Amino acid sequence: MTAFAEGTGLVTVRSVPWDDAAAVALRQAMAEEMRARYADLLAATPDLLPRGMDVEPETVAYSGVAYSAEGLPVGHVALRRLGEELELKRMFVAPSHRGTRVARALLAAAEDAARALGASRVVLQTGDRQPDAVRLYRREGYTPVPIFPPYERLAGSHCFEKLLS
């Protein structure tokens, strides 16, 4: 468990199992938001999402949930094994807590977990309809890399890495 100062209090990120109820609920909220953001693309190209975008539970190396000072689950992040890499997945902050540093706390917790797992870097993919995410990753030291599998078929992908020290 790691505590971080939030905009108006303290946010705590706890390592939880992939099937933790709060983690599942946050990932469902993220899926609904992403379906809405990309609805026209998904409707026009039903097979748009490449195989491998789903996270298989056995590939999860870390799953974390951020809790507000009031004890509410307000964010989620995971690391999955993607070949030899650790990939940041399912990063999500509840709309009510965006702009309060919850995302930074989630990133820091995931990066700490990656270091503990012996990773020298973390990779991630996000989409062109998530400019807020792109800004966050750049601000937090993630640099663009070529689009990596399985995302090369996904138009509008942005891939990043962060070297861990």
Side-chain angles (χ1 to χ4, degrees), residues 39-84:
D40 61 320
L41 290 176
L42 293 170
T45 315
D47 63 343
L48 175 70
L49 300 179
R51 270 184 84 103
M53 281 200 55
D54 288 333
V55 177
E56 301 298 328
E58 63 273 8
T59 67
V60 175
Y62 170 80
S63 179
V65 171
Y67 289 87
S68 69
E70 299 77 33
L72 300 172
V74 296
H76 178 270
V77 68
L79 293 170
R80 77 161 172 178
R81 296 194 184 284
L82 184 64
E84 298 296 313

Side-chain angles (χ1 to χ4, degrees), residues 21-144:
V24 170
L26 287 160
R27 289 193 306 271
Q28 287 173 341
M30 178 186 183
E32 290 170 16
E33 183 175 318
M34 293 302 104
R35 274 193 297 275
R37 281 192 195 204
Y38 293 94
D40 61 320
L41 290 176
L42 293 170
T45 315
D47 63 343
L48 175 70
L49 300 179
R51 270 184 84 103
M53 281 200 55
D54 288 333
V55 177
E56 301 298 328
E58 63 273 8
T59 67
V60 175
Y62 170 80
S63 179
V65 171
Y67 289 87
S68 69
E70 299 77 33
L72 300 172
V74 296
H76 178 270
V77 68
L79 293 170
R80 77 161 172 178
R81 296 194 184 284
L82 184 64
E84 298 296 313
E85 302 284 358
L86 281 178
E87 180 186 14
L88 191 84
K89 293 294 288 182
R90 303 302 185 260
M91 173 85 168
F92 179 74
V93 175
S96 62
H97 282 73
R98 291 180 184 162
T100 63
R101 300 186 180 204
V102 172
R104 287 181 180 179
L106 288 165
L107 279 177
E111 291 164 9
D112 287 347
R115 283 185 198 89
L117 291 163
S120 59
R121 76 176 188 153
V122 172
V123 297
L124 66 89
Q125 178 271 344
T126 192
D128 59 350
R129 295 186 182 185
Q130 295 163 263
D132 46 344
V134 171
R135 280 191 304 276
L136 168 73
Y137 296 133
R138 287 180 186 266
R139 186 175 60 238
E140 295 302 312
Y142 285 76
T143 57

